[in-house]
Amino acid sequence: MQDGRTTLSKYLIDTLDRQPSPVAATGLSALLIDVAAAIKTISATLTKGALSGNYGSAQSVNTHGEEQKKLDVATNEIFVQHCEWDGLLAAMVSEEMDTVYTIPSTYPRGEYLLAFDPLDGSSNIDINGVVGSIFSVLRRTGDQEAPVSEADFLRPGHEQVAAGYAIYGPSTMLVLSVGNGTHGFTLERDVGNFVLTHSDIRIPEDTGEFAINASNERFWEPPVRRYVQECKDGRSGCRERDFNMRWIASMVAEVHRILMRGGVFLYPRDFRTPQMEGRLRLLYEANPMSFLVEQAGGVAITGRERIFDVAPRALHQRAPVILGSKNEVERIQRYHSEYDRGEDKPYTSPLFNKRSLFLPEAST
Ligand code: AHG
Ligand code: MN
Ligand code: MN
């Protein structure tokens, strides 16, 4: 299909409805068009900025104990309203809803399950920075007549049938996969169409760019400290090349950059979080982003295993996330296994190495 000429609807009809393929699924294209409608509405709301009257705190907290902004609540509502009526969904799960939202009995019920983060990177709202939305689609297994339960959503990432994100930047884009590559559509605002502009995105296998919130360094495990230190050492260190660092505090923006030009993103296990699960949520952040990254030739791991193989135990479960360019992510996985086997070279903190002020010879 031709970049710049193919609308989202045409792409979905051609891909899902006309071709007998493993990804073909009744109603999935219609569901994704409803998700895209929600994204267009969110995009229009965000474009108004403070004039929308939706700025500031909602004076409430979500299930993670995080303060909800008015826009977290409003964008959640937009997703629900655009997707609950169409007869394609059985239920939804969102970062901003504590429990499973079962489709009300006033609407027909379908076979799909939608998990979403309606506004990712919402701390960027106050600074007019880049934000996004993330979504994941599962097909419900088992008795379709039975009441929907949490267990319906607790499926590993490799069972997703579609996933995507919207990025609300200078332009609004929808990046999507139904299991046959990762494709990007740009919103033509005056017409209201998503137009295919980035077909079959491929993440370069090598990169010189990494993204991590370095303020958490003291909580990281040794393999992550080792990797980041080696990147920072640059040309004079064992990597013998310089690296660049970025941190936008919106996973959507980081993953988008990686899809466009490569890179590696880490929100790893750390000692701050219970069971060292990291910060990001498995069902509606880690899994859908892993789908898009893997479909673009990248790799997504927790550090020790493929994110797709993590068996979810809870709706709002967190997961460590390391994803992006294949060769860097595989190197980080190797550092984890070397550490677990006790075979890695000991990590030396820059504060305590040979140039450190803390060494006796430095103070003489
Ligand atoms: P959300 O706004 O949905 O809570 O997600 C923000 C997430 C993710 O997008 C980003 O990578 C990370 O939180 C930023 O976390 P820090 O503030 O710890 O850097
Ligand atoms: Mn998020
Ligand atoms: Mn969010």
Side-chain angles (χ1 to χ4, degrees):
M1 265 171 275
Q2 225 178 331
D3 279 13
R5 302 279 292 274
T6 306
T7 61
L8 176 67
S9 328
K10 181 172 186 304
Y11 167 82
L12 290 171
I13 290 164
D14 274 353
T15 306
L16 291 174
D17 297 348
R18 288 210 186 124
Q19 292 172 22
S21 74
V23 294
T26 320
L28 183 56
S29 51
L31 171 60
L32 293 172
I33 286 167
D34 283 342
V35 170
I39 285 165
K40 285 186 235 178
T41 306
I42 292 171
S43 176
T45 306
L46 295 176
T47 302
K48 293 192 181 94
L51 300 174
S52 72
N54 260 329
Y55 263 35
S57 169
Q59 307 294 335
S60 53
V61 291
N62 67 15
T63 186
H64 305 282
E66 300 159 346
E67 182 206 33
Q68 286 178 307
K69 296 188 178 294
K70 281 186 194 166
L71 275 170
D72 287 318
V73 177
T75 53
N76 187 72
E77 201 47 35
I78 289 169
F79 258 89
V80 169
Q81 283 173 2
H82 280 78
C83 300
E84 68 179 345
W85 64 278
D86 58 17
L88 300 164
L89 285 179
M92 303 183 217
V93 157
S94 157
E95 179 183 318
E96 307 304 338
M97 299 191 286
D98 293 354
T99 54
V100 171
Y101 179 84
T102 303
I103 300 302
S105 55
T106 40
Y107 299 115
R109 194 175 289 179
E111 61 176 329
Y112 293 104
L113 303 166
L114 181 68
F116 58 93
D117 173 0
L119 193 61
D120 175 66
S122 53
S123 70
N124 281 356
I125 282 292
D126 300 333
I127 60 160
N128 204 11
V130 173
V131 291
S133 303
I134 311 172
F135 63 92
S136 158
V137 183
L138 288 166
R139 192 187 281 122
R140 195 175 175 215
T141 54
D143 180 5
Q144 300 289 327
E145 303 305 317
V148 186
S149 69
E150 273 197 29
D152 287 298
F153 280 89
L154 303 182
R155 313 299 313 165
H158 59 78
E159 291 190 19
Q160 293 172 105
V161 294
Y165 65 77
I167 179 165
Y168 311 105
S171 63
T172 290
M173 282 187 71
L174 169 63
V175 176
L176 179 76
S177 181
V178 292
N180 66 340
T182 296
H183 308 282
F185 300 81
T186 303
L187 181 61
E188 199 176 5
R189 280 187 209 276
D190 39 353
V191 183
N193 276 335
F194 274 112
V195 180
L196 182 64
T197 48
H198 298 67
S199 53
D200 207 10
I201 297 167
R202 305 302 295 168
I203 300 175
E205 292 190 354
D206 290 298
T207 181
E209 206 160 59
F210 68 102
I212 192 164
N213 184 341
S215 70
N216 297 324
E217 180 169 0
R218 66 192 184 282
F219 304 115
W220 299 338
E221 290 189 281
V224 172
R225 288 174 174 235
R226 173 184 172 189
Y227 177 74
V228 172
Q229 187 58 48
E230 288 177 1
C231 289
K232 289 195 294 184
D233 288 344
R235 199 178 292 269
S236 53
C238 65
R239 298 297 305 269
E240 298 177 347
R241 59 172 299 190
D242 290 334
F243 284 78
N244 196 8
M245 202 200 84
R246 289 282 183 272
W247 189 249
I248 305 174
S250 161
M251 187 194 200
V252 163
E254 317 282 1
V255 170
H256 192 68
R257 185 186 60 250
I258 288 169
L259 286 169
M260 293 297 108
R261 67 179 189 210
V264 57
F265 167 87
L266 304 94
Y267 217 119
R269 273 163 68 92
D270 70 39
F271 292 103
R272 282 179 313 168
T273 51
Q275 299 166 308
M276 297 183 65
E277 286 182 324
R279 162 133 175 41
L280 299 170
R281 280 55 60 115
L282 180 60
L283 293 188
Y284 41 82
E285 290 178 322
N287 275 343
M289 291 311 207
S290 300
F291 194 88
L292 296 167
V293 165
E294 288 204 2
Q295 286 289 321
V299 179
I301 58 168
T302 63
R304 293 173 169 85
E305 64 180 324
R306 199 175 166 217
I307 288 173
F308 266 13
D309 293 335
V310 176
R313 301 179 315 276
L315 289 184
H316 298 287
Q317 180 177 332
R318 296 174 188 268
V321 174
I322 298 169
L323 57 76
S325 291
K326 182 173 181 292
N327 292 336
E328 289 302 301
V329 178
E330 288 179 352
R331 172 183 285 267
I332 299 168
Q333 183 155 19
R334 174 164 63 79
Y335 287 7
H336 280 81
S337 42
E338 285 176 7
Y339 170 69
D340 290 345
R341 293 197 304 266
E343 289 171 5
D344 64 329
K345 59 175 187 174
Y347 166 74
T348 49
S349 161
L351 290 179
F352 295 94
N353 72 10
K354 60 182 184 302
R355 285 187 294 162
S356 170
L357 294 172
F358 295 91
L359 289 176
E361 60 269 32
S363 55
T364 54

